[in-house]
Amino acid sequence: FLKNSHLTRLEISENEHACAECFRLIIDALQVQGGSIESLRIRGCEGIDSISALEHHTLPQLRVLNVDQNNIRSLPSLEGYLNLERLSLEGNWIGRRGYPSIAKLLQKGTPPVKSLDLTFTGMRDLEAELIAGSLRQNTSLNHLRLEGNRVSDEGRSAFLKLLCDVSSIKNTCNSNHTLRSIELPRSLDPELALMFNYIDIAMITNKAYVGNARAVSRAKVVETQLCSYTRMELSRLQLVECRYNSILPQIEPVLLPNVLAMVGDVHGQSELYRMLNAAVSDLASIVNKKTALKERMTDNESRILSLNTEYAREKSALLVEYERRLAALSVGNLHQTAALAAENSKLQKELEYIG
């Protein structure tokens, strides 16, 4: 039936007889009929412990793959599924064995999955950090579900840092600007509520500037790096050092007036005062650096003049010495040639007398 049909959607749910071999046969049949399937949902079949058949055959039109509540322990390579947009693995206890393959998929961005459901899949902090790290350069994933996993503050912090890394302005600009929703295990703890608040703010910023990485980067820098309270809170939550005066060295001096004006406009005069007060030493160092450069240039010009003067003096002394030695050589030559000429004259007279 499957081989002779042109299905675009197929759903099989809670079939107690389904197993990995059955899954393979289904994929074989769908591939033989031309691979026109766009949505494949095979859920609640505990006998299915492997979906490796997807790696051996490609369903080129597949956009939705839902294999919830099976018994899958690892994810095969899905690089050939270039149209896959939604992947759901809910209820499969993948654990440490399966997460590296998921991280590899997200890091490569192939297929360009937009929605990923990892609810109740055995994720802990180590796996959370692995997935967060794999999403740093990912520009396709918009929605991520992670509820029902044992993720603590450390794992949640990894996703906060993914969305808005305040360790430096450069890292804030290079944060993930694509994710629009993350469903993490929630808590009533005030500290966790604060962390989720900042995660939500980062995702709202991502939504506000969809497709414009430059604009979202700028917005995050203004909201976090240029606001002392927000930067202090995020630094504490991300376990990074917070020093307001460490910001200015990261900014080109020519841009400082515009940045300071922006702080006053966006966050108020009190924030501008705090920034200036904390950054006095950096501003002074920038001014002192300009003075030092000018002094160095003046010193170099003085040394050039001194070297040229010394060269002229040495040249003049050498020329005088040369003239003196040349004159002495000429006098010596004249004396010797005159003596020899006189001797020759005397010898000539003797020859004539003998002759």
Side-chain angles (χ1 to χ4, degrees):
F1 168 75
L2 292 177
K3 291 181 180 180
N4 296 321
S5 64
H6 293 282
L7 290 176
T8 57
R9 297 185 180 185
L10 176 62
E11 181 169 348
I12 300 174
S13 299
E14 299 181 2
N15 189 318
E16 61 182 9
H17 301 294
C19 61
E21 178 62 18
C22 296
F23 185 85
R24 185 189 67 78
L25 292 173
I26 291 172
I27 299 302
D28 287 350
L30 292 174
Q31 197 272 334
V32 169
Q33 58 95 4
S36 61
I37 194 78
E38 296 179 8
S39 176
L40 179 61
R41 304 173 187 269
I42 301 181
R43 305 178 294 179
C45 305
E46 294 185 1
I48 298 179
D49 58 4
S50 172
I51 56 173
S52 60
L54 290 170
E55 187 171 0
H56 304 300
H57 298 292
T58 301
L59 305 175
Q61 303 305 317
L62 190 65
R63 294 186 302 104
V64 178
L65 177 61
N66 185 318
V67 286
D68 293 349
Q69 305 296 332
N70 295 312
N71 198 24
I72 300 166
R73 291 291 182 268
S74 63
L75 184 70
S77 172
L78 298 175
E79 292 185 16
Y81 291 79
L82 301 180
N83 292 308
L84 186 63
E85 297 179 351
R86 298 177 60 186
L87 175 61
S88 183
L89 299 166
E90 177 186 344
N92 292 282
W93 202 258
I94 295 172
R96 292 188 177 183
R97 179 182 173 185
Y99 270 100
S101 56
I102 297 175
K104 183 178 179 181
L105 178 150
L106 294 173
Q107 190 170 21
K108 285 188 173 183
T110 306
V113 176
K114 295 181 179 179
S115 175
L116 177 62
D117 190 341
L118 297 174
T119 307
F120 292 100
T121 51
M123 174 184 283
R124 293 179 181 268
D125 288 338
L126 182 64
E127 291 75 40
E129 292 175 1
L130 180 65
I131 294 301
S134 69
L135 287 170
R136 288 199 171 277
Q137 304 300 323
N138 184 286
T139 57
S140 61
L141 192 68
N142 300 142
H143 309 287
L144 178 62
R145 293 190 61 192
L146 302 173
E147 307 107 301
N149 292 298
R150 296 182 180 180
V151 180
S152 70
D153 295 0
E154 187 176 350
R156 295 183 182 97
S157 179
F159 286 100
L160 174 59
K161 194 169 185 178
L162 166 71
L163 288 163
C164 190
D165 186 345
V166 295
S167 59
S168 71
I169 290 178
K170 181 179 179 180
N171 288 339
T172 301
C173 292
N174 291 335
S175 299
N176 182 288
H177 305 319
T178 306
L179 276 169
R180 302 175 201 169
S181 69
I182 300 180
E183 298 297 333
L184 283 160
R186 296 265 173 171
S187 171
L188 297 177
D189 183 274
E191 188 75 0
L192 291 180
L194 180 63
M195 184 180 295
F196 280 116
N197 179 57
Y198 283 120
I199 289 175
D200 291 340
I201 289 173
M203 289 189 295
I204 289 172
T205 305
N206 285 355
K207 291 178 185 177
Y209 300 96
V210 174
N212 191 338
R214 184 184 180 89
V216 70
S217 296
R218 181 179 182 277
K220 287 182 179 179
V221 169
V222 173
E223 291 170 1
T224 61
Q225 296 286 359
L226 302 183
C227 179
S228 58
Y229 177 79
T230 302
R231 188 164 181 264
M232 178 181 66
E233 288 292 326
L234 285 170
S235 296
R236 181 173 59 80
L237 292 171
Q238 296 179 23
L239 303 178
V240 298
E241 184 180 6
C242 179
R243 292 188 301 111
Y244 215 158
N245 62 350
S246 66
I247 294 178
L248 291 185
Q250 303 176 53
I251 303 172
E252 290 294 330
V254 70
L255 299 178
L256 277 177
N258 292 334
V259 172
L260 294 173
M262 184 186 300
V263 171
D265 292 341
V266 177
H267 300 299
Q269 296 301 310
S270 60
E271 183 62 37
L272 175 59
Y273 172 78
R274 280 192 291 271
M275 184 176 188
L276 288 172
N277 186 52
V280 166
S281 60
D282 287 307
L283 289 172
S285 68
I286 291 171
V287 174
N288 291 338
K289 184 176 181 180
K290 289 182 178 179
T291 303
L293 291 174
K294 290 180 180 179
E295 290 177 352
R296 183 63 180 272
M297 290 174 65
T298 301
D299 181 61
N300 287 342
E301 290 172 357
S302 177
R303 292 181 65 189
I304 290 171
L305 180 61
S306 177
L307 287 170
N308 286 336
T309 302
E310 180 66 17
Y311 168 77
R313 189 187 67 79
E314 290 286 343
K315 178 181 178 182
S316 178
L318 288 172
L319 288 173
V320 170
E321 177 65 16
Y322 171 77
E323 293 293 338
R324 185 189 66 78
R325 294 183 63 183
L326 182 61
L329 184 62
S330 297
V331 170
N333 182 64
L334 288 173
H335 287 166
Q336 291 181 28
T337 55
L340 291 172
E343 184 180 358
N344 281 346
S345 179
K346 184 178 180 180
L347 292 172
Q348 181 64 33
K349 287 180 179 180
E350 288 182 4
L351 285 173
E352 290 177 353
Y353 177 77
I354 296 171

